[in-house]
């Protein structure tokens, strides 16, 4: 069901893959006001601490920081970390609601990008990692890096 991004990535949550096992992804539109899209296109967004909640059949993202546009006017929003509404189909919201109610699951923003002129937010359904899972992931990554390094060295010697 997850969709991949076609456009330019404007902001990415690198901490999400470290803290969660991402099981499914959803592409959501964002309701932006004033000059927020201009600020987004300049890459002035941060979703490191952001999270999503579902209330009254609507999904909202909290703690997503979009800096005010410097050349902006009175339409600039006053609060850069305000709660923003996300646009998803009702069936997707209901599915996310049911899955996120389970123990250990949460809805995590993964990246912001532009597709066909519209700002999109890629949401992931994540299951929280335990400390030993994080260590195991780091050990696998280090082992893979060592293997790649050894293969590169072997190819250099062969030439």
């Amino acid at each position: 069901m997850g969709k991949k991004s076609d456009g330019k990535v404007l902001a990415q949550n690198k901490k999400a893959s470290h803290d969660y096992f991402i099981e499914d992804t959803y592409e959501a539109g964002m309701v932006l006001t004033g000059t927020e899209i201009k600020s987004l296109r300049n890459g002035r967004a941060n979703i490191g601490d952001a999270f999503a909640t579902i209330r009254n059949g609507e999904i909202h993202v909290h703690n997503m920081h979009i800096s005010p546009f410097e050349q902006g006017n009175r339409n600039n929003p006053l609060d850069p970390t305000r709660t923003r509404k996300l646009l998803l189909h009702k069936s997707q919201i209901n599915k996310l609601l049911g899955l996120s109610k389970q123990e250990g699951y949460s809805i995590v923003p993964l990246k912001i990008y532009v597709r066909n002129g519209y700002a999109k937010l890629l949401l992931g359904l994540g299951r929280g990692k335990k400390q030993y899972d994080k260590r195991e992931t780091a050990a696998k990554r280090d082992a893979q890096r060592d293997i790649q390094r050894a293969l590169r060295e072997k190819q250099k010697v062969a030439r």
Side-chain angles (χ1 to χ4, degrees), residues 9 17 44-45 49 55 60 69 75 83 97 115 128 130 132 139:
V9 175
S17 63
R44 311 230 337 139
D49 297 330
R55 287 192 315 254
H60 298 272
F69 189 60
N75 292 331
T83 302
L97 180 63
R115 175 183 281 179
K130 305 282 189 224
Y132 57 84

Side-chain angles (χ1 to χ4, degrees), residues 104-127:
Y105 283 88
S106 56
I107 305 168
V108 184
L110 300 175
K111 64 173 109 174
I112 300 174
Y113 53 93
V114 175
R115 175 183 281 179
N116 298 332
Y118 295 103
K120 302 289 184 178
L121 180 68
L122 188 68
L123 293 173
L125 180 68
R127 183 171 43 94

Side-chain angles (χ1 to χ4, degrees), residues 33-36 68-79:
T33 61
T35 56
E36 285 181 327
F69 189 60
E70 291 90 15
Q71 292 83 28
N73 54 13
R74 62 190 169 136
N75 292 331
N76 265 347
L78 297 174
D79 184 18

Side-chain angles (χ1 to χ4, degrees), residues 17-18 129 134-148:
S17 63
H18 182 263
K129 285 186 182 180
K134 293 178 186 179
R135 282 191 222 113
E136 183 180 315
T137 304
K140 285 180 184 177
R141 186 178 59 236
D142 291 343
Q144 191 65 29
R145 194 177 299 143
D146 291 340
I147 291 169
Q148 292 297 324

Side-chain angles (χ1 to χ4, degrees), residues 46-96:
N46 183 3
I47 57 172
D49 297 330
F51 62 96
T53 59
I54 300 174
R55 287 192 315 254
N56 300 330
E58 296 179 342
I59 187 163
H60 298 272
V61 65
H62 304 272
N63 288 347
M64 180 172 68
H65 188 279
I66 299 177
S67 298
F69 189 60
E70 291 90 15
Q71 292 83 28
N73 54 13
R74 62 190 169 136
N75 292 331
N76 265 347
L78 297 174
D79 184 18
T81 58
R82 69 180 182 85
T83 302
R84 292 169 179 87
K85 184 177 174 182
L86 299 178
L87 306 172
L88 279 173
H89 292 284
K90 189 62 99 175
S91 60
Q92 291 175 324
I93 292 175
N94 290 336
K95 185 175 180 183
L96 270 174

